[in-house]
Amino acid sequence: MRFIGFKLLRLIGVVVAVASLTFFMVALLPGDLAYELAGDEATPEQIAMIRAELGLNEPIGWRFIDWVGKLLHGDLGRSFRSDEPVTEAILSRLPVTLELLFLSQVFALALAIPAGVYTAYRAGGRLDRLLGSLGFAMISVPVFVLAILLIYFFALRLGVLPATGYEPLSEGLWANLRTFLLPSLSIALVEWVPLTRILRSDMIATLKEDFISMAKAKGLPPWHILLRHALRPSSFTLITILGLQIGGLIGGALIIETIFALPGVGRLLINAIYARDFMIVQGCILFIAVGYVAVNFLVDMLYVVLDPRIRVGGKGG
Amino acid sequence: MNAMQSWRRVLGAGVLALSVVAAGAAWADEPVRGGSITVGLETDLRGFDPIKGRVLGNSAATVINVIEERLFDFDEDGGLIPVLATGMESENDGMSWLVHLREGVTFHDGTPFDADAVVAHWERILSPVYIGGLFLRPMDRVEKVDGHTVRFHLKHPWAPFVGAITLPIGFAPYIPSPTAVAAETHHRQPVGTGPYMFKEWSSGDRLVVVRNPNYWRDGPPYLDKITFRFLPDQQTRLASLQSGDIDVMWMDRGTTIRSAQKDEDLVAHEAIGGGSLIIFMFNASKPPLDNPLVRRALSHAWNQAVALRVMYRDTQSAITHPYGAALDCGKAGYREHDIAAAKALLAEFGEPVELEMIHTTTPRGREAGQMLQQFFKRVGVTLNLKPVDQLQLRQRVFTNNYQISGWRIGDSGDQGPQLFGLFRKGSPYNIMKYNTPEMDALLDAQRETVDVEARAKLMCQIAEKINEDAPIVYAGGRRHYAFSRPRLKGIPPLTNGVIRLGDVWVTDGE
């Protein structure tokens, strides 16, 4: 319990720090939003009116207190531009980001686990060397280049998958999945590489342990030893990296969502930054920070499940 | 109506956008009913209420154009087409306009379209809380005459009136349902009288409209549904068009336009608009730019032809005035690239010139700044570049805290009101602080002159005065581009960059 309490306390601290920093960084940015919102035809009086309407004339400390007060009531404010409630804007995009996150990690793990286990089992073999070279090649390619290549082959040359866009699940499972295949693969084809390398490395170490020798002595088949005995103790670092990757994707894969025109949280944030829609920017960053620390908290909890020694020792991470 | 048509032919730069590509061939085909299309838009929308939305961009104009309607539209020759109005006449020597409204039209929510709806809308537009009203200042009020007649009262005879109530790129001409506006739902669920009705808007993703079964015109709408998708990246948008995910898109980047032009599976739509995509403003209140000799020297140092090749891959044309194809002012005294002339003017000025230019941190902003810097260097002028955020740039420009800045002249149909705002003493939009008694007189005269030939002459004199005193230099004109799939038919010529989709159909509709 002490372990969980400590982690929870840290989680709250991080969120408070991020919320405060975000607010002040955005508020102290040079330039006056009112001039941007007003367009070219506004008079000085109308610009003053916009400033008053947005509360930009209030002292920054008061604006922060006001924002935090509303935040505690679950109100992240409204978009300066479209008047859409920020919470609504984020929640409406969350399913897209979560689906992208889920599918990309499924693809990455589907590639990484078999490859990691096999290359550890046959370390130094031909396939190990081949996958190692392939992995380094793939991780060297920027994700946006990979995305454009996938669009070129699958959408423009073969015409089997859409280049951009998003279809909600209500339009049918296949229609929905078609729009996520290329974006998910773009992420997975880069992310499987570190996962594979880490799993391989940890697994090689595990396979040298006494209990593995014992299992071999018992005459257990290799797949049984690899999957039932070696995989679980070798997956700590894998889960940590996976947690970091998922945490990163909570904010949406910004580039991927933009290239494939997926209306996720990342694209909302990017568009809000370009449009100087600071209420949306603040809301998104806060949401992403909460998501990031929450995933890491869950990863820490997963350690407890995987290794009871952490639970008993009460120290971790 | 003939007088108004000829006004537009002479003065409505964007209105008169000249279609130069044979996309019109598709117009001759017989419309087919049914089917749907997807339109790729560059940006998400701010909303549809003029007061909350404040500014109607190109993307929003394309959407609002199928949901809400204007009193008049115009054909490819700039002639007026009655839409929600059936006709209008000028009264009291141009001091007011009597507009007859169409009967039997209802908004999508069942509210009848009548004089009350028009008056309610224009009262909001002319109120101080509407931000976009600067160029509409000569309009005084709108009065209900009877159920289907309204009278627009002007503060003085005002030639751009017709453009002000028809321009497809602004909020003002589109008449919304007064019921939806009063209920404060119109901003995110717009209600108009147009051929398509709003269905859903998922911010950042799409906006969907469906056929209006009770539309008042015979024929359109032909499609069952139009989906507008927001695809900010222009390359991605083009890939979507090429793969058939979208049917039509607007574009402004030279490289993308050139790629699309090479694709034989796409139909090009191209039109010359008014204004200028980029201008460089010389702040006439900041020394040494307060001296016309310096401004004239800098104008000669600038090379528009080279800039167009580098920045736009020659997809935009060189201009000598901001009226596009609407007016032929000839060279209008344009200062051509002439290093010797620039050096001579600087020698006459007699002091070393060092200036600062603010520009946005975008690649386009940086590129423009660096190009200006190189051209100025050749005539011995030092230009220090100061990259700033877009917000800072706008604030510094509007608070007169800059020497040189990039800006633009919008394609606002009749350019008169915009030039009046930019160059008239006392205007809040006189952002380069250039104004002279001669220019003020010309601007005042064009505003109130209703004779077509006389006004055209005045507009050309304004262009000549701009070139003579050089408060700005042009980095190119404005040519609008859109590309569509061959299945999409009936797109009228682009006007002010707006793709009007109300009457389109698809060949595979049935």
Side-chain angles (χ1 to χ4, degrees):
Chain A
M1 280 314 286
R2 244 183 71 202
F3 172 74
I4 296 174
F6 170 76
K7 291 283 175 191
L8 259 178
L9 208 63
R10 206 171 66 172
L11 187 152
I12 293 166
V14 169
V15 171
V16 170
V18 169
S20 314
L21 271 175
T22 309
F23 178 88
F24 286 106
M25 276 171 62
V26 168
L28 294 172
L29 275 177
D32 190 335
L33 181 64
Y35 287 96
E36 173 72 9
L37 291 177
D40 293 347
E41 299 178 40
T43 60
E45 297 77 36
Q46 286 171 324
I47 286 168
M49 196 171 72
I50 294 177
R51 288 184 59 80
E53 197 182 299
L54 301 179
L56 297 176
N57 291 328
E58 306 292 341
I60 190 167
W62 173 250
R63 278 158 54 197
F64 180 64
I65 292 167
D66 184 51
W67 185 65
V68 170
K70 286 179 179 160
L71 198 64
L72 293 173
H73 290 90
D75 179 7
L76 287 173
R78 297 180 89 89
S79 160
F80 284 158
R81 282 181 180 264
S82 67
D83 203 39
E84 187 182 19
V86 176
T87 316
E88 203 176 279
I90 293 172
L91 290 180
S92 69
R93 285 158 177 82
L94 194 56
V96 177
T97 295
L98 290 181
E99 189 170 349
L100 177 64
L101 184 157
F102 175 76
L103 287 175
S104 59
Q105 297 314 296
V106 165
F107 286 141
L109 284 175
L111 289 168
I113 292 178
V117 169
Y118 187 83
T119 53
Y121 177 54
R122 291 278 185 246
R126 194 178 295 171
L127 191 63
D128 181 27
R129 292 200 303 274
L130 181 70
L131 283 176
S133 306
L134 185 69
F136 281 119
M138 302 218 72
I139 208 165
S140 308
V141 180
V143 68
F144 63 88
V145 173
L146 208 55
I148 288 168
L149 286 175
L150 288 174
I151 288 177
Y152 178 73
F153 283 111
F154 289 98
L156 296 183
R157 299 289 293 189
L158 301 175
V160 291
L161 290 169
T164 58
Y166 161 70
E167 292 295 339
L169 263 174
S170 57
E171 296 290 319
L173 182 63
W174 176 234
N176 171 265
L177 281 178
R178 281 184 83 227
T179 56
F180 275 100
L181 281 177
L182 293 184
S184 310
L185 270 177
S186 305
I187 297 171
L189 287 176
V190 173
E191 290 203 342
W192 75 283
V193 180
L195 297 177
T196 304
R197 302 306 295 174
I198 281 155
L199 182 61
R200 175 186 176 277
S201 153
D202 286 359
M203 196 105 175
I204 287 172
T206 308
L207 289 174
K208 289 177 184 160
E209 295 278 344
D210 291 345
F211 68 93
I212 297 293
S213 305
M214 170 76 82
K216 282 181 186 165
K218 281 183 183 173
L220 293 173
W223 67 266
H224 192 276
I225 296 171
L226 287 170
L227 299 182
R228 298 295 298 274
H229 293 268
L231 182 58
R232 184 164 145 161
S234 308
S235 55
F236 279 81
T237 325
L238 178 81
I239 287 170
T240 308
I241 298 295
L242 196 66
L244 288 172
Q245 285 183 352
I246 291 175
L249 286 172
I250 294 274
L254 305 186
I255 296 168
I256 291 299
E257 285 188 4
T258 303
I259 290 177
F260 289 97
L262 289 176
V265 176
R267 205 172 132 209
L268 174 70
L269 175 61
I270 285 288
N271 289 345
I273 291 170
Y274 286 144
R276 278 83 184 168
D277 198 337
F278 295 141
M279 289 307 263
I280 298 261
V281 174
Q282 281 169 201
C284 281
I285 293 178
L286 182 64
F287 175 81
I288 290 164
V290 170
Y292 197 87
V293 292
V295 168
N296 280 288
F297 178 74
L298 287 175
V299 168
D300 287 344
M301 293 304 101
L302 211 55
Y303 290 158
V304 178
V305 176
L306 286 173
D307 190 347
R309 285 172 297 180
I310 294 173
R311 192 165 50 216
V312 174
K315 353 171 196 172
Chain B
M1 193 68 76
N2 285 338
M4 284 181 296
Q5 287 180 355
S6 48
W7 270 10
R8 305 189 69 75
R9 286 201 184 91
V10 176
L11 297 174
V15 171
L16 285 173
L18 179 71
S19 182
V20 294
V21 164
W27 258 19
D29 297 348
E30 272 300 303
V32 179
R33 204 169 284 281
S36 60
I37 61 164
T38 302
V39 183
L41 297 180
E42 187 171 31
T43 52
D44 198 354
L45 315 176
R46 287 188 180 193
F48 295 88
D49 184 279
I51 289 172
K52 286 182 183 170
R54 301 185 185 102
V55 179
L56 187 75
N58 179 285
S59 293
T62 303
V63 180
I64 202 172
N65 200 265
V66 299
I67 300 174
E68 297 177 41
E69 289 181 301
R70 292 161 286 159
L71 297 175
F72 295 94
D73 199 351
F74 35 81
D75 58 29
E76 61 266 45
D77 297 323
L80 286 183
I81 302 170
V83 184
L84 289 178
T86 54
M88 65 175 172
E89 56 251 25
S90 174
E91 302 175 319
N92 305 325
D93 294 328
M95 288 294 288
S96 62
W97 286 82
L98 193 67
V99 179
H100 305 284
L101 305 177
R102 189 174 297 282
E103 296 187 31
V105 177
T106 54
F107 289 97
H108 304 150
D109 59 2
T111 306
F113 167 75
D114 53 19
D116 289 326
V118 176
V119 171
H121 170 63
W122 275 95
E123 274 180 355
R124 298 182 87 226
I125 292 294
L126 297 178
S127 72
V129 289
Y130 174 56
I131 300 292
L134 180 67
F135 300 156
L136 302 172
R137 279 186 173 180
M139 292 174 79
D140 186 25
R141 65 195 166 89
V142 183
E143 166 201 22
K144 175 182 174 180
V145 177
D146 62 36
H148 285 87
T149 313
V150 293
R151 180 174 285 117
F152 285 79
H153 291 274
L154 306 178
K155 292 173 186 163
H156 51 74
W158 188 44
F161 170 75
V162 183
I165 63 166
T166 53
L167 183 70
I169 199 81
F171 267 122
Y174 293 97
I175 312 290
S177 158
T179 313
V181 170
E184 297 190 3
T185 55
H186 184 75
H187 191 50
R188 296 194 61 83
Q189 294 160 30
V191 179
T193 56
Y196 293 90
M197 302 188 298
F198 171 84
K199 187 184 175 205
E200 60 177 306
W201 175 12
S202 166
S203 293
D205 179 27
R206 69 189 61 202
L207 187 146
V208 181
V209 296
V210 293
R211 174 206 301 273
N212 174 6
N214 304 314
Y215 189 51
W216 58 271
R217 274 166 66 202
D218 291 332
Y222 299 109
L223 302 170
D224 294 328
K225 186 171 89 169
I226 303 177
T227 303
F228 297 94
R229 277 178 48 202
F230 310 120
L231 306 169
D233 182 75
Q234 199 153 140
Q235 285 288 357
T236 307
R237 209 154 69 241
L238 177 59
S240 296
L241 182 69
Q242 288 170 322
S243 68
D245 295 335
I246 62 173
D247 295 288
V248 60
M249 67 176 280
W250 172 89
M251 62 177 80
D252 66 350
R253 303 284 150 79
T255 45
T256 329
I257 292 167
R258 289 291 180 227
S259 301
Q261 282 172 333
K262 285 180 196 153
D263 192 329
E264 291 176 359
D265 291 333
L266 301 179
V267 180
H269 309 267
E270 194 178 323
I272 299 169
S276 173
L277 268 174
I278 297 181
I279 58 170
F280 297 108
M281 302 191 294
F282 301 143
N283 189 334
S285 70
K286 303 283 182 191
L289 294 169
D290 56 346
N291 190 320
L293 288 175
V294 177
R295 298 199 304 265
R296 286 169 188 154
L298 298 179
S299 296
H300 281 301
W302 173 246
N303 190 331
Q304 199 180 172
V306 170
L308 286 168
R309 196 155 55 243
V310 174
M311 291 166 69
Y312 299 111
R313 297 191 66 192
D314 282 328
T315 54
Q316 298 295 338
S317 321
I319 58 169
T320 58
H321 59 76
Y323 308 131
L327 272 181
D328 183 8
C329 296
K331 288 280 182 187
Y334 180 73
R335 293 180 187 278
E336 300 287 354
H337 177 59
D338 185 342
I339 289 180
K343 284 183 173 171
L345 285 161
L346 287 169
E348 193 181 341
F349 175 64
E351 289 173 33
V353 176
E354 183 172 355
L355 299 161
E356 183 190 78
M357 174 184 174
I358 52 170
H359 65 82
T360 59
T361 49
T362 59
R364 175 66 53 92
R366 268 198 302 274
E367 188 180 49
Q370 285 165 359
M371 203 167 291
L372 203 63
Q373 190 179 44
Q374 290 309 312
F375 286 131
F376 285 4
K377 195 175 170 186
R378 287 181 199 175
V379 298
V381 170
T382 306
L383 181 66
N384 301 311
L385 298 180
K386 172 91 176 161
V388 294
D389 181 77
Q390 171 77 9
L391 283 189
Q392 281 174 286
L393 186 132
R394 290 187 67 85
Q395 185 177 10
R396 287 187 61 170
V397 165
F398 278 102
T399 52
N400 194 31
N401 181 18
Y402 76 101
Q403 280 189 311
I404 299 178
S405 174
W407 205 251
R408 81 208 151 274
I409 297 179
D411 183 0
S412 57
D414 188 326
Q415 299 294 104
Q418 196 176 186
L419 295 182
F420 186 93
L422 272 174
F423 298 120
R424 179 65 168 83
K425 188 174 186 181
S427 159
Y429 194 44
N430 182 217
I431 45 182
M432 63 208 81
K433 303 297 172 199
Y434 161 78
N435 48 68
T436 63
E438 299 82 29
M439 182 62 108
D440 287 354
L442 285 170
L443 289 166
D444 290 346
Q446 66 80 28
R447 208 181 188 199
E448 300 189 18
T449 302
V450 289
D451 178 77
V452 174
E453 297 301 325
R455 183 152 186 261
K457 200 173 163 190
L458 284 166
M459 296 300 277
C460 286
Q461 285 173 342
I462 290 169
E464 285 163 18
K465 188 71 183 153
I466 294 171
N467 288 331
E468 184 193 339
D469 290 347
I472 57 172
V473 292
Y474 307 107
R478 193 182 291 264
R479 195 178 272 262
H480 301 292
Y481 291 89
F483 290 85
S484 63
R485 304 287 307 171
R487 71 187 281 262
L488 181 60
K489 303 288 184 188
I491 297 181
L494 303 176
T495 44
N496 305 99
V498 179
I499 310 170
R500 290 175 291 163
L501 297 164
D503 293 354
V504 302
W505 74 93
V506 285
T507 49
D508 51 354
E510 288 285 57

